[in-house]
Amino acid sequence: MESVASAIKRLADLAALPHISRLSAAFAAAGHELALVGGPVRDAFIGRQLNDLDFATSAVPDEILAVVKPLADVHWDIGRAFGTIGARIDGHTVEITTYRTDAYDGETRKPLVEFGDSLEGDLVRRDFTINAMALRLPELVLVDPSGGLDDLLAGRITTPGAPEESFGDDPLRMLRAARFTSQLGFTVAEPTRAAMAALAAQISIVSVERISDELSKLLRTPRPRVGLELLDVTGIAALVLPEFPALRLEIDEHHHHKDVYEHSLTVLDQVIELEASRSHPESPDLVLRMAALLHDIGKPSTKRTEPGGVVTFHHHDVVGAKMVAKRLKALRFDKQFIADVARLVELHLRFFGYTEGAWTDSAVRRYVRDAGPLLERLHILVRADVTTRNRRKADRLSFAYDDLEDRIAALSEQEELAAIRPDLDGEQIMQTLGIRPGREVGEAYRFLLELRLDEGALGTEEATARLRAWWASRA
């Protein structure tokens, strides 16, 4: 946490930047108020990078445009209905919004936008006190009508007014509260937490797209576990991602010290650690983190108690992949995202066969082929899936996966393993067999691909001979 003096200095330095200085001077000259609001003011006090600058003003949209046009490289008014004008000044993007006093009807999640007449009135309508602070420009006066600075210093998340009223206005704020606990490391105040539990059902009036966007932001935070646990205990998770809290009911036969719920959160924690240690280029990787959280959701529906009391979850990987695809489709994630997460869930158990017996080169090739472009993510997920407290067992699994990765690397040097194809392409198959495009070409291609996986590269001459022999045997 920055000291108040150093935070104000950071904000003053920001206000002194040429494009912001020009902007604030222009609004003052036109007789309008201007203030830096929300996240940047909050972040100045907690030492975070100051990005995404938002401004509030007493000017209405037409007046904002009149001030901004002479300064801007380009401007746009796509948010005019909400009082927002965007512009690029000296290469920097800014958004300026007229003071607002939104009202909600309690049945939909869209506010009835009304312009306000004071900065204080604009701030108290915001979601949390820590986001309800502003810096007047060019005076550099901190405006904090709801005690946001005190809550920042205490690491506390609460609403400017009664939380029941705030969440009733926009229930998505409950998901945002969970995200801020994970993003900032703060704690939700008890009255605010109680209101989340009491109003959880109100999340149903929020659009699916807004919910999935907020869940995505939560999973990308440094510690998503904290926010996910908050959503669980308040009952919100059961409404937006019901398969997650359902895991609490199941005991994992591989990890007797943890239920599947705790195991899944631990896997998520370890995925995040491995992302950093392996310099994963996509970090924070939403595909990987979603797969980590949901990799075992097939267990509740596949649980069986065998003779002797042994609990099994046969084929929970395949069942889980289908459940993941269904849930993510309902949340309206894009098709590629859904396919990638489901594929990782489907493949996450494949490695454990490696510890039961030596894999042939053919099996290693199939592992790589089936993972395709998800291979690095699969490496991380499989390693993170080991949460046993038995050090000897953990080391054995780690050493086994080290060996598998070494074999993949060695084979990759010999043969472009990540892009395995038969030695003959479709045109060569048709020319060799004297056939036209159709089902038989596909069958021949698959025959050659299996040869390639089993025996490695054969070369054109040997592959041609094998293909002719296979074709003759079919006849």
Side-chain angles (χ1 to χ4, degrees), residues 255-270:
H255 311 279
H256 294 294
H257 61 286
K258 296 183 179 75
D259 60 22
V260 181
Y261 174 93
E262 178 65 25
H263 166 71
S264 298
L265 288 174
T266 301
V267 172
L268 177 58
D269 288 341
Q270 295 184 167

Side-chain angles (χ1 to χ4, degrees), residues 30 78 128 149 152 164 195 214 287-288 303 335 347 440:
I78 193 170
F128 304 110
L149 183 55
L152 269 178
E164 293 83 2
E214 199 58 49
V287 166
L288 181 56
K303 180 183 177 182
K335 290 182 179 179
L347 294 175
E440 292 171 325

Side-chain angles (χ1 to χ4, degrees), residues 253-441:
E253 81 281 14
H254 295 302
H255 311 279
H256 294 294
H257 61 286
K258 296 183 179 75
D259 60 22
V260 181
Y261 174 93
E262 178 65 25
H263 166 71
S264 298
L265 288 174
T266 301
V267 172
L268 177 58
D269 288 341
Q270 295 184 167
V271 155
I272 293 170
E273 292 176 7
L274 286 169
E275 275 184 354
S277 66
R278 293 174 72 102
S279 300
H280 185 47
E282 298 294 327
S283 183
D285 187 338
L286 184 60
V287 166
L288 181 56
R289 294 183 181 197
M290 186 71 80
L293 178 65
L294 302 180
H295 75 284
D296 275 346
I297 66 169
K299 284 190 170 180
S301 60
T302 59
K303 180 183 177 182
R304 300 290 183 273
T305 303
E306 306 294 343
V310 176
V311 177
T312 63
F313 302 97
H314 295 310
H315 307 300
H316 76 267
D317 46 346
V318 177
V319 172
K322 293 178 180 177
M323 291 175 64
V324 162
K326 183 177 180 180
R327 173 53 55 195
L328 296 183
K329 183 178 180 180
L331 287 170
R332 298 183 187 171
F333 283 93
D334 67 72
K335 290 182 179 179
Q336 189 60 56
F337 179 85
I338 295 171
D340 288 348
V341 176
R343 189 61 166 161
L344 286 173
V345 172
E346 182 182 1
L347 294 175
H348 83 274
L349 285 185
R350 181 81 62 86
F351 159 72
F352 292 98
Y354 191 83
T355 63
E356 297 168 3
W359 278 7
T360 62
D361 285 352
S362 173
V364 175
R365 292 187 189 98
R366 281 183 167 80
Y367 188 78
V368 174
R369 179 198 64 177
D370 291 347
L374 300 173
L375 183 61
E376 174 59 21
R377 286 166 164 151
L378 185 60
H379 288 334
I380 293 175
L381 178 60
V382 171
R383 287 184 180 275
D385 197 23
V386 178
T387 61
T388 177
R389 291 177 180 173
N390 183 321
R391 178 47 53 194
R392 179 177 294 182
K393 181 179 180 182
D395 287 345
R396 177 172 59 82
L397 291 170
S398 179
F399 294 151
Y401 208 86
D402 288 343
D403 182 65
L404 176 58
E405 287 203 68
D406 288 343
R407 289 183 63 189
I408 290 172
L411 283 171
S412 294
E413 288 183 4
Q414 300 170 22
E415 45 183 272
E416 298 175 359
L417 193 55
I420 293 176
R421 293 181 176 82
D423 293 275
L424 305 179
D425 61 22
E427 290 292 335
Q428 291 169 308
I429 289 171
M430 289 187 289
Q431 183 177 358
T432 298
L433 300 181
I435 59 177
R436 302 181 67 179
R439 177 177 54 82
E440 292 171 325
V441 177

Side-chain angles (χ1 to χ4, degrees), residues 27 55 57 59-66 68-69 72 74-88 93-98:
F27 271 85
F55 299 87
T57 180
V60 297
D62 286 342
E63 293 171 331
I64 297 172
L65 279 171
V68 165
K69 279 183 179 180
V74 64
H75 65 274
W76 53 93
D77 61 357
I78 193 170
R80 177 192 284 267
F82 296 94
T84 300
I85 301 297
R88 189 166 63 241
T93 299
V94 298
E95 286 195 347
I96 307 153
T97 303
T98 305

